Amino acid sequence: MSENSKPYKETLNLPVTRFEMKANLTVREPQIQQRWREADLYGQIRKARAGSERKVLHDGPPYANGEIHMGHLLNKVLKDIVVRSLTMQGFDSPYVPGWDCHGLPIEHKVVKDLGSKAATMSLAEIRALCQADALKWVDLQRDQFRRLGVSGDWENPYLTLDRRYEAGILDVLADLLAGGYVFRQLKPIHWCTNDRTALAEAELEYRDETSPSIYVNFPIVSGVPEAWGPGPWHAMVWTTTPWTLPANVAIAAHPDLTYVGVRYVDPELGQPVQTIVAADLLAKVMALRGLTEVTELGRCRGKVLEHAQYRHPFIERTSPIVLAQYVTVEDGTGLVHTAPGHGTEDYQTGRAYQLPTLSPVDASGRFTDEAPASLVGKGVFKANPEIISTLRAGGHLYHELSFVHSYPHCWRCKKPVIFRATEQWFIGVDRNDLRGRTLKEIDSVRWLPGWGKSRIDAMVSLRPDWCISRQRSWGVPIPALGCNGCETQVLTAETVRHFRDLFRTEGADAWYTKPVEEILPPGLTCSKCGGTDFRKEGDILDVWFESGASHRGVLAGGFELGYPAYMYLEGSDQHRGWFQSSILTAVGTTGLAPFQTVLTHGFVVDEKGQKMAKSGGNAVSAVKATEQYGADVLRLYVASMDYADDIRMSEKGIKEMSEAYRKIRNTFRYLLGNLEDYASFDPASVPLESLHEIDRWALRQLDEVAADVKGAFERFEFYRVFQRIYQFCSVELSSFYLDVLKDRLYAELPQGPDRRAAQFVLARLHDVLTRLLAPLIPHTAEELWELLPSSPDKVPSVHLAAWPEAESSTSTAAESTIPWKDLLVYRALILRETESLRKSKKIGSNQEASVELYTDSSETAEFLTRHLDLLTSVCIVAELAVVRVEKIENVQGERGWAEDETHLVDLEHRLVIRASKSPAGKCERCWNLRPTVGQSAAHPSLCERCVGVMSALDSRV
């Protein structure tokens, strides 16, 4: 090494930057967030976008219990990406977070913690403890959501326990009462015997359950066709719920099915039995007992059996055979055990035939004294064996087996539910064509993904009336007043609006703390008996009704967000939950859907593909992951996935995304390292004509990336945003443009036109890519924005900046006739050959390679010759030469190359590529191999370019 090696190295423009490679996100992110709060960045954004077109993402309220998990992280980060991208596109997109604070989980935990003490406390006292518990979790979750970098009005969220919100709930209820949708009726509903409350469809989970499957012969009293001969006759039914048999009041047949009367000999009793089953199921039913000798005695249509009478097998009761269209021959016997108190279809049939609705089961799932004495006090599921034993003893049991089927379970306690008839409040989905009008509004909404429309369409089309009453205390009470004179319950639009006004000033607690006399609507009398003595009833509203009414309390309420919302964004389970409760209450009260767009995401699942949930015990703490990796890494992880499907989150996946984040950060570190004198020059002052062809190419690529990313954001395809930016940083920039740029950046004059042209592009890359990434990794983007030089146009935060647009002057200057697509094909071929040379250790880098391009194609030769200098530059080789030959197949022999000498043959382009180490000297300053090394007496170890740079530097001293 010469004596001048050290000075030469010091004359290079080596990268220098304050932007550290180690992100240290767990320390840096909280510091950035603190600055945002101190500067009231959210308030600044609202002022900056005031008056612009408004697009509001309405937050579906998470439940206020427990720390946030990965499901929360997925949901809140997606929402934040939407809001931030809309804001950068120029829309006014406020975000008001909310919490669902009422409901059974909180009440259940409070009562459980109280133990026996709960029985000595008033409902008002228990509610106060529930409120304290909910607010504790609101505060904790708020801090955890903010730690993820989610921007919003965190100081003024909406809470379902807020008195203003509670008043909004009753306002919706009053409008639905005025519209004639709300009614009270004895109907079978899903009932949790563990939590002793009614359940909505959205509160059910379906799991496989093993139940007893029994075939029972009911003795017929009358109505069998005379031609079939004398009895005794039976009607055989099939059921998987033996415990509902005490409530049986009918057997249903299909009017158009063919039924057959048969005689068989019971193999255990040795007695002949005559029974009726559907003809299509006869062989299947007889095969259950292995019966082959079966005598057919007659056939008829089901409608012939209507009004036939049968006797209950173990209760003194005679009931009719009725007709129903839902009877099928898929399973069973074609005759359906009917208990209107324990099934929806049974109930409808019971109403059609004016049958009694029996439900001899209490709130705990135990038989009442309306059931046979032997069953009173026993749990329904535990009573199954006794009922089966009774049937067998009476000679009525034809067959018994175990049956595995999908059965509804309570979403909270995970235990099987029952159908039980109780007096409840309902919203009639077919009253005033609410179902039809809702389906019409569903058609007007943009559903993302598209299958979301089909999903909610099917659910609304098939859903039953909505049971909106619950038998709990922690929630918004249904302000029904019971008349002590005649037991009528008074609930009208007028009385509810009276209590709405009361709740607005004193909250729903007033229902529990004030005597009924103090809160009665003035002059209230019972519409049935004229009485004035009332009591407060005890039901509360379904929490889905509460959250579904948020369009009134939040969008159209005091938060002044506007109705309808631009978007609702939640998990795919909300098609039967919040999306459905929102659109039903909205259409019933306003005629319009509360949202223009609905975006749904899949569930976060563990490595086994199981849904992560707190209730399932496999939830991963998002807090722990954030503190370990940083919010921006996790946000990038969320953005990288197609959220339409379930998302597997694992330690391995997070680590891989941490590496992807590092590569993106490293790209910016390269940019900023070569913009160390950023503040000393104005990129706008760089004349566009000084740009090299590769600079123009890079700017065109950047404009394409910006356009693609904007389109992906507008389609909410965030994984395409990540893929496009990551590929651009990894491939187009790191592996090509920035690699080619190194020589110009490091070795040219610091203020020279060639280096300034390169810096112009780097500055543009810094600015545009920072904006494009801001919705995904807001903390890192803010860190990068702070490193932009101050200017009159620079706003204090990247999150106040507008979306990057292609600059017309830059775009025009970037127009080029260079055939880059073809050039990059030739570059790839050349690099394949130089790589083989490098692997054989004949050269250390491409800079040492001398490449010869042999071709017998005049077209290829002309193209390569015309672009030789540019191709040499982008391949970063010492020299490149084009050689015309007669036939490329003969090159090796004609040139006398050894058999083992490597070269690349590409017949498609009629090209042979041969690389070797350049004989030129190596420049001590830039390390390029150049023929001009040694020609300068003053700097004998430098190439001509570096000699010129040194002379210019020396002249400035």
Side-chain angles (χ1 to χ4, degrees):
M1 185 177 291
S2 74
E3 296 178 0
N4 291 327
S5 61
K6 185 175 181 180
Y8 289 151
K9 181 179 179 181
E10 291 179 354
T11 65
L12 293 173
N13 311 306
L14 297 178
V16 177
T17 178
R18 292 172 289 145
F19 188 68
E20 299 176 14
M21 186 60 249
K22 184 178 180 181
N24 204 15
L25 294 178
T26 58
V27 174
R28 186 171 282 119
E29 287 172 343
Q31 295 172 346
I32 293 173
Q33 292 169 5
Q34 181 62 31
R35 293 201 297 272
W36 286 343
R37 286 194 288 273
E38 291 172 354
D40 186 21
L41 179 59
Y42 181 78
Q44 290 187 53
I45 294 172
R46 296 280 62 76
K47 291 178 182 177
R49 295 295 183 267
S52 301
E53 180 183 350
R54 177 164 283 196
K55 288 190 175 182
V56 173
L57 186 152
H58 178 36
D59 188 32
Y63 200 67
N65 73 328
E67 290 193 337
I68 66 172
H69 52 69
M70 285 298 185
H72 288 116
L73 182 143
L74 169 67
N75 180 264
K76 278 294 192 283
V77 168
L78 286 176
K79 288 175 179 176
D80 193 54
I81 292 174
V82 170
V83 171
R84 288 184 183 277
S85 63
L86 289 173
T87 299
M88 291 198 75
Q89 291 172 53
F91 297 106
D92 182 15
S93 189
Y95 177 68
V96 176
W99 274 273
D100 186 355
C101 302
H102 290 139
L104 181 60
I106 291 175
E107 182 178 352
H108 179 74
K109 181 180 181 301
V110 167
V111 172
K112 181 179 179 181
D113 291 346
L114 287 171
S116 60
K117 185 180 178 182
T120 67
M121 299 177 67
S122 68
L123 292 181
E125 290 173 323
I126 291 176
R127 283 173 58 87
L129 293 175
C130 290
Q131 175 168 317
D133 190 71
L135 292 177
K136 174 189 73 175
W137 290 114
V138 166
D139 288 341
L140 181 68
Q141 289 186 0
R142 171 171 28 210
D143 290 342
Q144 293 172 350
F145 287 139
R146 295 178 90 159
R147 179 62 187 85
L148 297 176
V150 179
S151 175
D153 193 357
W154 293 105
E155 301 304 321
N156 299 288
Y158 78 88
L159 308 176
T160 59
L161 57 70
D162 183 274
R163 61 186 59 177
R164 296 168 300 172
Y165 191 94
E166 291 173 333
I169 293 169
L170 289 197
D171 203 35
V172 172
L173 179 62
D175 286 356
L176 290 170
L177 281 159
Y181 300 103
V182 182
F183 64 96
R184 183 172 177 81
Q185 196 170 78
L186 175 68
K187 289 180 65 174
I189 43 85
H190 286 108
W191 184 272
C192 178
T193 58
N194 183 68
D195 295 324
R196 299 166 62 93
T197 186
L199 296 175
E201 189 69 30
E203 296 169 312
L204 300 176
E205 296 176 348
Y206 285 83
R207 301 179 178 183
D208 284 347
E209 189 78 17
T210 300
S211 300
S213 172
I214 61 173
Y215 293 74
V216 183
N217 276 317
F218 280 61
I220 295 181
V221 176
S222 63
V224 177
E226 292 184 8
W228 292 12
W233 281 100
H234 301 81
M236 188 185 293
V237 304
W238 169 67
T239 181
T240 58
T241 54
W243 65 268
T244 63
L245 287 176
N248 172 276
V249 294
I251 293 174
H254 193 287
D256 300 322
L257 286 178
T258 298
Y259 291 85
V260 60
V262 298
R263 181 189 297 122
Y264 64 89
V265 175
D266 188 290
E268 292 182 8
L269 301 176
Q271 299 291 327
V273 179
Q274 294 180 172
T275 194
I276 302 171
V277 297
D280 290 344
L281 291 167
L282 175 63
K284 184 177 180 180
V285 171
M286 293 298 110
L288 292 172
R289 297 282 297 275
L291 300 178
T292 57
E293 296 183 7
V294 179
T295 304
E296 182 177 321
L297 302 177
R299 288 183 174 234
C300 71
R301 295 286 186 185
K303 57 189 174 184
V304 174
L305 299 174
E306 186 180 20
H307 304 305
Q309 298 290 306
Y310 68 90
R311 189 176 69 253
H312 195 284
F314 55 83
I315 296 174
E316 286 298 324
R317 183 164 64 234
T318 301
S319 302
I321 293 180
V322 297
L323 302 179
Q325 293 291 331
Y326 55 77
V327 178
T328 71
V329 290
E330 291 181 6
D331 290 298
T333 67
L335 293 170
V336 177
H337 149 57
T338 300
H342 295 303
T344 302
E345 291 177 328
D346 300 38
Y347 175 78
Q348 297 299 334
T349 299
R351 284 176 61 87
Y353 283 89
Q354 297 183 329
L355 301 172
T357 301
L358 305 182
S359 185
V361 179
D362 67 14
S364 298
R366 300 179 182 276
F367 281 109
T368 67
D369 56 11
E370 297 176 29
S374 63
L375 299 176
V376 174
K378 293 183 178 179
V380 293
F381 297 119
K382 291 183 178 180
N384 278 333
E386 182 172 333
I387 292 172
I388 294 171
S389 179
T390 300
L391 292 169
R392 181 180 288 109
H396 301 291
L397 184 67
Y398 172 74
H399 190 62
E400 174 194 5
L401 69 157
S402 293
F403 178 75
V404 178
H405 60 145
S406 181
Y407 192 84
H409 291 64
C410 174
W411 70 289
R412 175 52 48 186
C413 70
K414 310 302 179 186
K415 294 183 179 180
V417 303
I418 64 173
F419 255 107
R420 174 174 178 257
T422 59
E423 290 272 357
Q424 301 287 344
W425 291 100
F426 294 88
I427 291 176
V429 294
D430 290 312
R431 295 192 173 197
N432 298 327
D433 195 29
L434 177 58
R435 189 193 308 272
R437 291 187 295 122
T438 300
L439 290 170
K440 185 177 180 181
E441 281 301 299
I442 287 173
D443 286 340
S444 70
V445 174
R446 179 188 182 193
W447 299 90
L448 300 171
W451 52 257
K453 178 184 179 301
S454 301
R455 181 177 171 86
I456 193 170
D457 199 272
M459 289 180 170
V460 171
S461 296
L462 298 174
R463 72 157 298 141
D465 288 339
W466 180 4
C467 176
I468 60 171
S469 49
R470 295 292 181 273
Q471 290 63 54
R472 307 303 302 180
S473 61
W474 180 229
V476 175
I478 297 176
L481 297 163
C483 175
N484 290 322
C486 67
E487 299 304 314
T488 297
Q489 288 201 20
V490 178
L491 187 73
T492 67
E494 291 73 23
T495 61
V496 171
R497 287 175 181 138
H498 166 81
F499 290 109
R500 172 201 63 192
D501 296 340
L502 174 67
F503 287 10
R504 182 175 288 122
T505 56
E506 301 188 39
D509 284 340
W511 182 262
Y512 298 93
T513 59
K514 291 182 176 294
V516 66
E517 296 78 16
E518 290 187 20
I519 61 175
L520 280 177
L524 180 68
T525 59
C526 175
S527 60
K528 184 175 181 180
C529 70
T532 58
D533 183 17
F534 294 95
R535 66 181 180 277
K536 295 178 288 184
E537 295 294 341
D539 290 348
I540 64 171
L541 281 162
D542 175 15
V543 290
W544 290 110
F545 187 97
E546 285 194 27
S547 58
S550 62
H551 56 79
R552 181 68 58 89
V554 180
L555 296 179
F559 291 92
E560 299 179 351
L561 297 179
Y563 184 93
Y566 172 68
M567 177 179 283
Y568 278 29
L569 189 163
E570 301 298 333
S572 56
D573 57 337
Q574 296 308 314
H575 290 106
R576 68 170 184 159
W578 190 53
F579 299 153
Q580 194 172 147
S581 65
S582 296
I583 196 169
L584 284 169
T585 54
V587 172
T589 56
T590 71
L592 298 172
F595 36 65
Q596 297 171 340
T597 303
V598 173
L599 188 152
T600 54
H601 59 76
F603 297 116
V604 174
V605 296
D606 60 20
E607 291 180 340
K608 298 178 181 178
Q610 298 297 312
K611 175 188 172 184
M612 282 189 186
K614 287 181 289 186
S615 57
N618 65 340
V620 175
S621 171
V623 178
K624 182 178 178 182
T626 304
E627 293 310 321
Q628 183 175 355
Y629 295 100
D632 277 2
V633 169
L634 294 175
R635 291 176 65 102
L636 206 60
Y637 194 18
V638 168
S640 71
M641 299 182 183
D642 185 353
Y643 53 77
D645 299 320
D646 286 347
I647 296 176
R648 289 178 184 258
M649 281 195 167
S650 65
E651 191 77 15
K652 178 183 177 183
I654 298 175
K655 286 181 178 178
E656 289 174 351
M657 188 49 57
S658 182
E659 179 63 19
Y661 169 85
R662 190 190 67 80
K663 289 182 179 179
I664 292 174
R665 188 177 181 92
N666 200 31
T667 299
F668 278 101
R669 182 170 165 80
Y670 180 100
L671 300 181
L672 292 165
N674 290 285
L675 289 169
E676 77 284 354
D677 53 351
Y678 219 159
S680 65
F681 83 100
D682 180 6
S685 67
V686 175
L688 298 179
E689 56 270 17
S690 70
L691 297 181
H692 294 210
E693 286 295 343
I694 195 170
D695 298 331
R696 302 175 195 277
W697 173 87
L699 291 173
R700 282 198 303 276
Q701 295 301 306
L702 180 62
D703 283 346
E704 289 180 13
V705 169
D708 291 345
V709 166
K710 182 179 181 182
F713 270 123
E714 290 172 347
R715 297 187 302 273
F716 309 107
E717 294 176 343
F718 307 133
Y719 69 98
R720 296 190 186 278
V721 172
F722 166 76
Q723 289 172 354
R724 191 69 176 91
I725 295 176
Y726 182 71
Q727 177 181 309
F728 184 61
C729 290
S730 301
V731 180
E732 285 95 331
L733 292 184
S734 296
S735 298
F736 178 47
Y737 179 66
L738 299 183
D739 198 29
V740 172
L741 223 57
K742 286 179 181 176
D743 182 67
R744 216 187 331 157
L745 289 169
Y746 296 175
E748 293 289 348
L749 274 172
Q751 293 84 29
D754 291 330
R755 185 166 184 270
R756 285 293 191 234
Q759 287 182 306
F760 171 85
V761 179
L762 298 189
R764 177 75 176 151
L765 287 166
H766 177 196
D767 184 359
V768 173
L769 290 177
T770 297
R771 298 182 197 225
L772 296 182
L773 283 166
L776 271 55
I777 46 175
H779 308 92
T780 305
E782 192 74 292
E783 186 184 358
L784 290 165
W785 188 261
E786 290 170 356
L787 294 173
L788 279 168
S790 298
S791 71
D793 296 330
K794 183 187 176 184
V795 290
S797 168
V798 66
H799 305 296
L800 287 163
W803 199 256
E805 300 290 344
E807 297 181 11
S808 58
S809 58
T810 303
S811 179
T812 302
E815 292 299 324
S816 172
T817 58
I818 300 295
W820 278 102
K821 184 177 180 181
D822 294 330
L823 273 176
L824 293 177
V825 170
Y826 286 114
R827 175 179 180 269
L829 293 172
I830 291 168
L831 294 187
R832 278 173 55 189
E833 176 62 11
T834 58
E835 177 63 15
S836 66
L837 201 66
R838 191 186 64 79
K839 284 184 176 180
S840 64
K841 301 189 182 302
K842 294 179 180 178
I843 60 173
S845 67
N846 277 11
Q847 289 172 291
E848 300 175 8
S850 174
V851 180
E852 295 170 330
L853 305 173
Y854 298 87
T855 181
D856 55 12
S857 165
S858 57
E859 182 180 349
T860 299
E862 190 276 330
F863 179 90
L864 293 173
T865 301
R866 180 158 28 102
H867 302 294
L868 191 62
D869 290 343
L870 181 56
L871 194 57
T872 302
S873 172
V874 299
C875 291
I876 321 177
V877 294
E879 52 204 355
L880 206 60
V882 179
V883 183
R884 285 294 307 273
V885 295
E886 289 293 325
K887 197 170 182 62
I888 63 171
E889 287 81 358
N890 301 330
V891 169
Q892 183 171 1
E894 291 175 354
R895 301 286 164 167
W897 297 341
E899 287 294 329
D900 60 348
E901 193 167 355
T902 61
H903 60 277
L904 185 146
V905 179
D906 182 68
L907 296 177
E908 180 183 354
H909 297 92
R910 301 302 300 168
L911 192 66
V912 171
I913 303 173
R914 180 174 178 269
S916 59
K917 184 169 183 177
S918 173
K922 183 176 183 179
C923 176
E924 191 174 357
R925 182 171 179 271
C926 70
W927 290 14
N928 288 316
L929 275 64
R930 295 287 185 261
T932 57
V933 173
Q935 294 180 0
S936 169
H939 301 283
S941 62
L942 300 189
C943 66
E944 182 180 20
R945 187 272 309 273
C946 287
V947 168
V949 171
M950 290 303 300
S951 298
L953 292 174
D954 290 342
S955 67
R956 297 178 183 180
V957 176

